[in-house]
Amino acid sequence: MNELAVYAVSSGNSRGREVPEELPTGRSEFQRDRDRIIHSAAFRRLEYKTQVFVNHEGDLFRTRLTHSLEVAQIGRSIARNLGLNEDLVEAITLAHDLGHTPFGHAGQDALNECMRDYGGFEHNLQSLRVVDVLEERYAAFDGLNLCYETREGILKHVSRKNAQKLGAVGERFLQRRRPSLEAQLANFADEIAYNNHDVDDGLRSGLITLDQLEDVAIFSHHLEQVKEKYPVLPERRMVYETVRGMINTLVTDLIQQSRRNIKAAKVESLTAVHVAPPLIGFSQQIKKQQQELKKFLLDNLYRHFRVVRMSAKAHHTIERLFSVFSSEIKLLPTQYQKKFDREGHQAIADYIAGMTDRYAIKEYQRLFAIVEN
Ligand code: MG
């Protein structure tokens, strides 16, 4: 473990767990959180959930699992450099996408629309719900009983309405206080990871091209550097080298700028972090370059007709599943029927959100296709 800065989260200033437990031996509280997350069923399901490309489209594209691992790797490097709690960052980043529906954002949007009359569906809140309630593996409590700081980091956003129902972990959204620097950092690690791997996956899929990317400043800058150093290089290696260069620049810039921010704000405790402005961030120049890259990906990858077509199918699948379960509760597996009696439509949302891409496709076929399966 690295030397912790005074503003880091530590076991000493942690607000602890909802259900008190004995201290772990041989590992820290946050290492225990990470271990619980890795052993959860929801974590295993990430392997078959989409990031941008649907799971069956190819074996080399990122899934939510490989995405989460990349986020954890980037997050830990940054944490170590800033004297922040690396174990906490690892726990937050590995858990940050646990609540995602099948089929990425299309699935989440569809489920949110379906749940409109029943409180809506928010994937960040669902990630918290997974670790707080839905995992059933301990005798003494529901969920994983994670430390407050891990839960705070997982709940990146939440509506005010839902924040009011959440108790301590919802308070910061009502009082407009900042989460720990570890939680702030996890968001940036997420952003660095997905922007860069979407470039890589986008090129691999052929939906975007190197030619197009040469108009994007941060990409062309790094591509030029690679070409200068290695004039003859197969395209795949050139892309890897360029992406590696971009990640390195972003991580380095984030560390340097955040260090300056922390120093300027004279933050000397965790309590001070909560009332200071957000302190983890990029320099203005890199922020602008990141925005340009994001816009490029939005216009050319996420809105590519093939991605839109897949999203439309995903939307349709989730919508049909939700509506058929709502009109005939007996189509739900028995445990979800019981849950529906207690919790209403939230039970259907939990069932659907927990599905992997391929499970949702299979369930759709079982329900709507007149074939043997
Ligand atoms: Mg993510």
Side-chain angles (χ1 to χ4, degrees):
M1 181 78 173
N2 54 330
E3 188 76 35
L4 288 182
V6 282
Y7 41 75
V9 172
S10 65
S11 40
N13 61 22
S14 168
R15 291 170 69 171
R17 302 173 192 276
E18 291 269 298
V19 181
E21 294 186 56
E22 277 178 35
L23 287 178
T25 47
R27 55 182 175 166
S28 74
E29 288 284 24
F30 297 107
Q31 284 171 342
R32 174 150 77 176
D33 279 5
R34 175 207 56 204
D35 298 347
R36 287 181 178 186
I37 290 158
I38 289 178
H39 287 280
S40 70
F43 187 73
R44 287 194 293 281
R45 289 198 201 106
L46 293 176
E47 185 175 0
Y48 300 105
K49 291 202 184 200
T50 299
Q51 194 65 25
V52 174
F53 298 88
V54 171
N55 187 237
H56 61 72
E57 287 181 279
D59 290 345
L60 284 173
F61 297 123
R62 267 69 174 188
T63 64
R64 291 226 173 257
L65 179 63
T66 58
H67 162 69
S68 301
L69 296 175
E70 290 182 19
V71 179
Q73 178 267 318
I74 291 170
R76 287 181 56 181
S77 298
I78 302 167
R80 200 174 315 151
N81 274 280
L82 292 174
L84 295 171
N85 192 319
E86 203 177 319
D87 298 329
L88 172 59
V89 170
E90 191 178 16
I92 294 171
T93 49
L94 290 177
H96 85 283
D97 272 352
L98 288 180
H100 263 281
T101 60
F103 313 126
H105 285 281
Q108 127 93 17
D109 292 346
L111 197 51
N112 190 23
E113 282 170 31
C114 294
M115 284 292 287
R116 188 169 292 152
D117 295 338
Y118 315 104
F121 179 86
E122 299 175 43
H123 65 87
N124 280 304
L125 183 58
Q126 190 70 9
S127 295
L128 185 69
R129 196 170 152 73
V130 167
V131 300
D132 276 1
V133 189
L134 296 180
E135 282 290 326
E136 296 174 351
R137 38 198 320 117
Y138 291 89
F141 45 77
D142 284 338
L144 305 178
N145 194 35
L146 301 180
C147 293
Y148 171 86
E149 292 74 17
T150 309
R151 299 171 58 235
E152 173 192 64
I154 292 172
L155 193 66
K156 186 163 75 173
H157 300 294
V158 71
S159 59
R160 278 186 76 84
K161 186 182 65 164
N162 283 323
Q164 279 159 350
K165 299 180 202 153
L166 284 175
V169 84
E171 277 166 18
R172 77 177 164 93
F173 297 95
L174 306 172
Q175 299 165 356
R176 297 186 187 285
R177 279 185 294 117
R178 248 62 56 198
S180 69
L181 295 177
E182 285 81 352
Q184 294 181 34
L185 183 172
N187 288 342
F188 282 92
D190 188 20
E191 188 181 322
I192 294 172
Y194 68 68
N195 281 329
N196 284 284
H197 65 49
D198 287 353
V199 166
D200 181 29
D201 283 352
L203 286 168
R204 189 192 304 278
S205 69
L207 299 187
I208 54 175
T209 63
L210 268 183
D211 270 2
Q212 286 177 306
L213 270 162
E214 280 181 37
D215 295 333
V216 181
I218 190 165
F219 189 89
S220 63
H221 168 71
H222 286 95
L223 182 64
E224 281 317 308
Q225 285 188 335
V226 175
K227 279 182 175 169
E228 213 167 280
K229 206 166 168 194
Y230 307 100
V232 191
L233 203 58
E235 186 172 311
R236 252 301 85 215
R237 285 201 196 210
M238 204 158 69
V239 171
Y240 281 138
E241 285 290 341
T242 307
V243 170
R244 185 185 0 270
M246 289 201 295
I247 295 178
N248 192 38
T249 296
L250 295 168
V251 167
T252 311
D253 181 81
L254 191 77
I255 292 166
Q256 288 169 349
Q257 186 61 43
S258 302
R259 231 182 236 144
R260 286 195 284 271
N261 296 346
I262 292 166
K263 209 171 164 194
K266 297 193 173 66
V267 158
E268 273 163 19
S269 67
L270 179 60
T271 323
V273 167
H274 295 312
V275 293
L279 297 174
I280 305 292
F282 294 117
S283 66
Q284 278 308 325
Q285 191 205 355
I286 290 289
K287 200 170 155 183
K288 258 177 57 196
Q289 291 186 0
Q290 273 280 88
Q291 279 161 354
E292 189 199 8
L293 178 63
K294 271 184 171 178
K295 183 164 184 330
F296 171 85
L297 288 171
L298 181 65
D299 293 343
N300 298 284
L301 181 61
Y302 311 142
R303 287 183 185 154
H304 190 287
F305 83 94
R306 277 171 56 197
V307 174
V308 173
R309 189 171 64 194
M310 196 61 231
S311 300
K313 282 193 262 190
H315 200 102
H316 170 83
T317 306
I318 299 289
E319 219 171 56
R320 294 275 322 261
L321 287 175
F322 190 90
S323 98
V324 78
F325 290 136
S326 300
S327 55
E328 184 46 89
I329 300 307
K330 292 206 161 52
L331 289 170
L332 285 167
T334 322
Q335 85 254 38
Y336 285 98
Q337 291 184 31
K338 287 186 192 140
K339 206 172 172 194
F340 187 89
D341 292 340
R342 296 190 306 269
E343 299 175 45
H345 287 77
Q346 182 62 47
I348 302 178
D350 287 343
Y351 181 44
I352 294 177
M355 292 178 184
T356 59
D357 293 5
R358 62 182 186 175
Y359 186 93
I361 293 167
K362 191 123 195 255
E363 185 76 336
Y364 184 91
Q365 287 167 344
R366 281 195 289 250
L367 286 159
F368 298 110
I370 310 182
V371 287
E372 231 176 288
N373 49 34

